[in-house]
Amino acid sequence: MTQPAIAFSNSARTQIADALNQSVAETAVTTMLAQNFHWNVKGMSFAPLHDLFQRIYEDHFVAQDDLAERIRSIDMHADATLAGMLKRSKVSEHDGHATDKEMIKMMLSAQETLATTLGASGALAAEHGDTLTEDLCIARGQVHEKFAWFLRAHLA
């Protein structure tokens, strides 16, 4: 049976918040990675990649807020330091000195990482009966898988 988020045990809320904070960290790092690549991409595919990287960072900026607000809605703390996000994230930042294909491969890996992290976060939420967090994670995971598809198409 579905219950209000605040009714979940403190242990459940802590576990869910930790998983969501992981998702926020990876989303934040990937946001900056996409913006970096948007600014620095070169080559024959400049225009479509410049646009794709912009679509990614604009989407991810909103997603960070959605995920962090879900953490707050279960009455937990949203971690919001850049240093903490970089330390926690499985996605690494990059200086932007890369070929267009290298950028695509790094962004593809980041999207796949995000989809995996969100899938695990959603499964954890489901274990605790938090269908609203599960739904958010599923929806976000689908977005990252779609971006991964777009990126793989550039490598074909």
Side-chain angles (χ1 to χ4, degrees):
M1 180 160 127
T2 302
Q3 58 184 339
I6 202 68
F8 297 130
S9 71
N10 189 57
S11 173
R13 289 184 298 113
T14 299
Q15 290 175 48
I16 293 166
D18 187 57
L20 287 174
N21 274 312
Q22 180 71 37
S23 299
V24 170
E26 290 173 8
T27 303
V29 173
T30 303
T31 301
M32 195 64 234
L33 186 67
Q35 194 160 35
N36 182 346
F37 291 170
H38 167 80
W39 291 329
N40 290 302
V41 69
K42 297 186 276 186
M44 291 298 296
S45 296
F46 168 79
L49 287 175
H50 182 76
D51 291 345
L52 178 56
F53 292 142
Q54 182 173 346
R55 283 180 58 198
I56 291 170
Y57 75 71
E58 288 175 347
D59 168 83
H60 290 21
F61 185 80
V62 173
Q64 294 171 66
D65 192 53
D66 291 343
L67 292 162
E69 287 179 353
R70 183 63 192 161
I71 295 166
R72 294 299 303 136
S73 74
I74 62 172
D75 199 31
M76 299 304 289
H77 182 75
D79 296 338
T81 66
L82 294 176
M85 290 179 184
L86 284 167
K87 184 176 179 182
R88 176 183 274 243
S89 178
K90 291 179 242 158
V91 177
S92 299
E93 63 180 346
H94 190 273
D95 66 8
H97 292 283
T99 67
D100 55 350
K101 288 199 185 305
E102 291 168 337
M103 289 177 178
I104 294 166
K105 288 176 184 175
M106 284 183 267
M107 186 56 61
L108 173 58
S109 176
Q111 295 303 317
E112 291 171 340
T113 297
L114 276 163
T116 299
T117 296
L118 284 156
S121 297
L124 177 70
E127 288 175 23
H128 292 291
D130 184 355
T131 56
L132 299 178
T133 298
E134 178 188 21
D135 183 65
L136 173 61
C137 292
I138 289 169
R140 287 302 318 155
Q142 290 171 338
V143 169
H144 295 294
E145 286 194 341
K146 187 171 185 178
F147 280 133
W149 165 48
F150 290 173
L151 291 157
R152 274 192 300 277
H154 278 276
L155 297 173

